[in-house]
Amino acid sequence: MHFLSEKRFRQFKIQRFFSATELFRQEKRCRGLEYASRGLESLTRGLEYASRGLESLSRVLEYASRGLESLNRVPEYASRGLESLNHGPEYATRGLESQSLVRESIFYGTRIMFQCFNAQNQLIMTKTISRKDSEFNEEQEVITSTTQKNLSVWAIDSTWFSTQVLTAKSAWVTAWTAYQDPAQRTPLITFTKTKARETYEKVLRILIQILESNPRVSDEYLRAMGIVIRDTTRTPVKPPKSYPEFIIDSSIIRCLIILFWDFGSKSKAKPHGVHGAEIRWAILDHPPVSIEELIHSGFDTRSPFELMFDESERGKTVYFCLRWESTRGDKGPWSEIVMAIIP
């Protein structure tokens, strides 16, 4: 019995040895598989980095190719630069010629502009061109023929008159003559007549402005040409007779908003000739006896007028009074004095 037990014990030990050996081998296999997996992952990353390296190398070669291409173009651009440099004196000469022409154009343009608009301190006159073509034709004939006879006396630029006025007049007369025959009046002839009048009318209006502003042209000549003197006396603006009516909005903290309009008016518009409202106010402990006690002043051309106050002024009483002021600075009567509490 003792022998069998020892034998079994040896077998048991042998089995345990083989079991431990098998476990050790299995553990080695698992670690081997794990290291193999990590090796494959590292190999994959290596291939990815190699691919990126090849891509970067490809870009480097592309940029190198572009650099060589640009380098090859340098002689071409240098040649163009030299060619432009050779053309420089020619362009400079043309620039000087253009500058001379510009100065000449500015001179004539200023001269014509002066003739057109030097009527600031003169009587301003007007000529209403008739809408009917027949009346327009008669008017233009009187104006142009009278002006042409007095070009030198009235110091009007004869070159401008010939190239602008007479050229536009010739086109109008030709188109208007063709339009007179109803049997031959086609849409094209009507269109040509309309366009000719548009062009001629613009030039004729400039001529009328020159005649209006020219002190050498007497009123008799202007009336003979149908140019009527316009009354330029400005209607005097009377001092305001009414006073502003207003309410005070205290819905915003530390702020008072004054909304004002003309007394008794349903509209919010200011009276005619009024520039704005003068606002007087002051923070007082008692109602003011005189307007002079309202030491602060403001002005607003349109409602509302907004006043901001400090935190320390909250709860204090403010007194307001308003009056209109005209565009000429004339003052109107004061309104009633109204009080408000600073919110």
Side-chain angles (χ1 to χ4, degrees), residues 47-261:
L47 292 174
E48 181 181 354
Y49 294 151
S51 176
R52 292 182 182 179
L54 291 174
E55 184 178 352
S56 300
L57 181 60
S58 176
R59 289 183 181 177
V60 168
L61 293 174
E62 180 183 355
Y63 294 150
S65 175
R66 292 183 182 179
L68 291 174
E69 183 178 354
S70 301
L71 186 61
N72 293 330
R73 291 184 179 179
V74 167
E76 178 184 354
Y77 294 151
S79 175
R80 292 183 182 180
L82 291 174
E83 183 179 353
S84 301
L85 185 61
N86 294 331
H87 286 296
E90 178 184 354
Y91 294 152
T93 304
R94 293 183 183 179
L96 292 174
E97 294 177 358
S98 301
Q99 186 178 8
S100 176
L101 292 174
V102 167
R103 289 178 178 176
E104 185 178 353
S105 300
I106 292 175
F107 171 76
Y108 284 109
T110 305
R111 182 177 177 181
I112 294 174
M113 185 182 298
F114 175 79
Q115 291 177 341
C116 292
F117 301 108
N118 67 350
Q120 293 181 354
N121 298 321
Q122 303 289 336
L123 291 176
I124 300 176
M125 306 175 186
T126 184
K127 166 66 185 180
T128 303
I129 297 178
S130 301
R131 291 187 177 182
K132 292 184 178 180
D133 290 337
S134 57
E135 296 178 0
F136 170 76
N137 187 58
E138 295 176 359
E139 292 169 353
Q140 63 85 21
E141 183 61 36
V142 174
I143 294 172
T144 54
S145 59
T146 305
T147 303
Q148 191 171 9
K149 294 176 183 178
N150 297 276
L151 285 175
S152 58
V153 178
W154 292 345
I156 296 176
D157 190 346
S158 59
T159 303
W160 174 83
F161 186 83
S162 300
T163 57
Q164 298 293 326
V165 180
L166 295 184
T167 301
K169 177 181 179 179
S170 177
W172 158 254
V173 172
T174 303
W176 175 246
T177 303
Y179 182 79
Q180 295 305 302
D181 188 2
Q184 303 293 330
R185 188 180 299 168
T186 62
L188 179 60
I189 291 178
T190 304
F191 176 79
T192 304
K193 183 266 300 181
T194 303
K195 288 298 180 181
R197 169 163 178 172
E198 290 179 359
T199 303
Y200 186 27
E201 190 172 324
K202 292 178 182 178
V203 179
L204 196 62
R205 288 185 185 277
I206 296 175
L207 176 61
I208 292 172
Q209 291 176 0
I210 294 175
L211 296 173
E212 288 174 344
S213 60
N214 194 334
R216 295 181 176 87
V217 183
S218 63
D219 292 349
E220 289 75 13
Y221 270 111
L222 292 173
R223 292 190 183 94
M225 291 185 288
I227 302 175
V228 183
I229 301 176
R230 178 184 295 174
D231 183 12
T232 58
T233 304
R234 299 184 63 180
T235 303
V237 178
K238 298 180 180 180
K241 295 182 178 181
S242 61
Y243 56 85
E245 186 176 1
F246 62 97
I247 59 174
I248 302 174
D249 181 7
S250 59
S251 60
I252 302 176
I253 188 172
R254 295 183 295 275
C255 178
L256 292 176
I257 301 174
I258 303 174
L259 298 97
F260 57 89
W261 60 93

Side-chain angles (χ1 to χ4, degrees), residues 25 108 156 208 288 305 311 317:
R25 289 177 178 175
Y108 284 109
I156 296 176
I208 292 172
F305 179 75
E311 180 67 22
T317 304

Side-chain angles (χ1 to χ4, degrees), residues 5 13 97 144 191 196 238 245 283 286 325 331 336 338:
S5 297
K13 287 178 68 176
E97 294 177 358
T144 54
F191 176 79
K238 298 180 180 180
E245 186 176 1
I283 299 176
H286 55 82
E325 182 176 321
K331 313 288 186 180
E336 297 181 358
V338 178

